[in-house]
Amino acid sequence: MAGWQLGINVGAAVAGLGVAGIAVGFAAHDSLANVISGIIVFLDRPFIVGDWITVEDEYGKVSNITLRSTRIRTPRNSYVVIPNKKIIDTVLENHSKHGRLRVDVPVGIAYKEDVGEARNVLLEAVAKLDGVLSEPAPDVVVDGLGSSSVDLLVRVWTNAAERRQATIFSVVEAAKRALDETGIEIPFPHLQLFVDNVEDEVWDGATRFTGRLARE
């Protein structure tokens, strides 16, 4: 009996070591993948410390790059650590790479409104904003025809990537204020529902059904 119990304990220990070995193997694999990806980041240089980037839906300034991870500081003043394998495997946007940066802000107007008038109003509004460059000049284009609005893009340039979010907020607020002041409608999504008059058909069907029951 003691030998049998010893055999069970040894088997459990071996099984535990096997599970631990698998876990260590996976951890080592992930660590090695991150280190290799870190080497690629150092060689390829898609960004450097100080650049503003967006990766994995996180936007911020690169504060440190190691073999294992890249650390960014967000506008929320939070510190985000991204494994380098994620950096290599996902789409990364570097906002600082070419200096000046264009910001595209969607704005919708009602179908009854004149696109040319809305364009002039929006351009006048954003031209006054701090951080918006006059060259290249801002422009407004029609981006699509939505279900309840004509979709415009207000496109402005700023000379500092760190001003990207602040510029977006400023353009949105300026656009809303300018369109309100000139009476140009900004529609909200809505659904039109058409209901036919089916009352007579319902009563006719009910009469036929009750008549059939009476005959049966």
Side-chain angles (χ1 to χ4, degrees), residues 32 97 116 124 166 180 203:
L32 180 60
K97 194 71 171 179
E124 182 179 355
D180 285 347
W203 280 112

Side-chain angles (χ1 to χ4, degrees), residues 109 111 115 142-152:
I109 61 172
Y111 273 93
V115 171
V142 178
D143 186 49
L145 301 176
S147 57
S148 58
S149 66
V150 178
D151 301 327
L152 308 178

Side-chain angles (χ1 to χ4, degrees), residues 59 93-106 131-133 135-141 143 153-165 167-168 171:
Y59 165 76
E93 186 174 3
N94 187 332
H95 306 287
S96 303
K97 194 71 171 179
H98 299 296
R100 291 181 302 185
L101 179 71
R102 195 185 77 191
V103 175
D104 298 348
V105 179
V132 172
L133 301 179
E135 185 61 39
D139 67 347
V140 177
V141 298
D143 186 49
L153 273 184
V154 182
R155 308 191 300 184
V156 302
W157 289 82
T158 181
N159 59 5
E162 61 266 26
R163 291 189 56 85
R164 174 178 175 268
Q165 282 193 334
T167 302
I168 291 174
V171 170

